[in-house]
Amino acid sequence: LLSEQKGYHATCEYRYTSVPKMWWVSGEVRFRHNKNNIMSASTVDKDMITFTQLLAPSKYDNLLVQTDITKQLMSISTKLSMKLFFRWDRNNAVRNNTDICYINRSFGIQPSVYIHPIKWLEMDYRGSIVRQFNRYSGQEKQYTSQDHSTSLKLYPSERMEINASWNFMRKPVG
């Protein structure tokens, strides 16, 4: 079995910076296409799952569109950021001798806030909310996952740091 793969990708990026106004903006679009003469295959029995590779054409396509926006507020020592993205994937595989096309889409928002208002206090928040849609064999499943974390740091003296953090995560299983 000899594997042969061909592919191409394209990227378009945009960046804007305004240092006097403390704004940073970036955007990006990426596309990837791969062709292969080997396809992943699996057979599912009631007791066992077997993975193999078949000499058959397969394709993988991926599109990613994302933007990042950051604003620095020097007067209150704060940095606000927001990332937005859309991702689309398509690939095919064989399961129980049936060629299946998988299509996945996801949309996400990832905010973050960093605050250092006074010398002895720091606060940080990072979040992520992603909505995902998976489609194969005429079925579509939807998932929402979240991840939020925050931390608080106190510096009562030059040699002492008190750190407290919190994390909340919710992700689908299965």
Side-chain angles (χ1 to χ4, degrees):
L1 203 59
L2 184 61
S3 175
E4 184 177 292
Q5 182 174 331
K6 296 176 184 176
Y8 59 86
H9 70 275
T11 302
C12 178
E13 295 180 358
Y14 172 78
R15 303 209 184 290
Y16 170 78
T17 303
S18 175
V19 176
K21 294 184 180 183
M22 305 303 277
W23 278 101
W24 290 267
V25 178
S26 68
E28 177 177 35
V29 177
R30 288 189 215 166
F31 180 76
R32 178 175 303 277
H33 173 78
N34 286 329
K35 281 185 175 182
N36 199 328
N37 66 336
I38 304 289
M39 183 182 298
S40 298
S42 64
T43 304
V44 180
D45 291 332
K46 65 178 183 175
D47 297 333
M48 184 179 3
I49 299 174
T50 307
F51 295 99
T52 58
Q53 294 188 331
L54 302 174
L55 189 58
S58 68
K59 290 189 274 184
Y60 171 74
D61 295 308
N62 168 264
L63 173 68
L64 174 67
V65 179
Q66 65 183 11
T67 186
D68 287 295
I69 302 168
T70 300
K71 172 67 174 166
Q72 186 98 24
L73 303 169
M74 296 300 286
S75 60
I76 56 173
S77 299
T78 300
K79 180 180 174 182
L80 306 170
S81 296
M82 181 71 68
K83 180 178 184 176
L84 303 168
F85 71 88
F86 167 76
R87 181 179 174 142
W88 175 86
D89 299 288
R90 177 179 56 197
N91 66 334
N92 58 326
V94 172
R95 180 185 286 170
N96 291 341
N97 297 320
T98 304
D99 189 356
I100 298 174
C101 179
Y102 294 90
I103 297 175
N104 302 311
R105 296 168 310 188
S106 56
F107 305 87
I109 181 169
Q110 297 171 322
S112 67
V113 178
Y114 172 79
I115 303 170
H116 190 63
I118 48 182
K119 181 180 172 181
W120 52 270
L121 175 66
E122 257 180 56
M123 292 180 285
D124 187 28
Y125 164 78
R126 296 183 187 282
S128 175
I129 300 172
V130 178
R131 184 77 172 151
Q132 188 168 338
F133 304 86
N134 299 330
R135 186 182 331 151
Y136 59 92
S137 299
Q139 301 176 21
E140 183 165 308
K141 295 185 178 183
Q142 301 177 21
Y143 306 97
T144 301
S145 58
Q146 297 184 45
D147 192 352
H148 303 276
S149 62
T150 187
S151 69
L152 175 67
K153 293 181 182 177
L154 301 172
Y155 303 97
S157 70
E158 286 186 30
R159 296 183 183 183
M160 182 182 217
E161 176 183 314
I162 300 170
N163 187 351
S165 61
W166 169 82
N167 189 37
F168 170 80
M169 183 171 48
R170 173 183 245 161
K171 295 188 178 186
V173 178

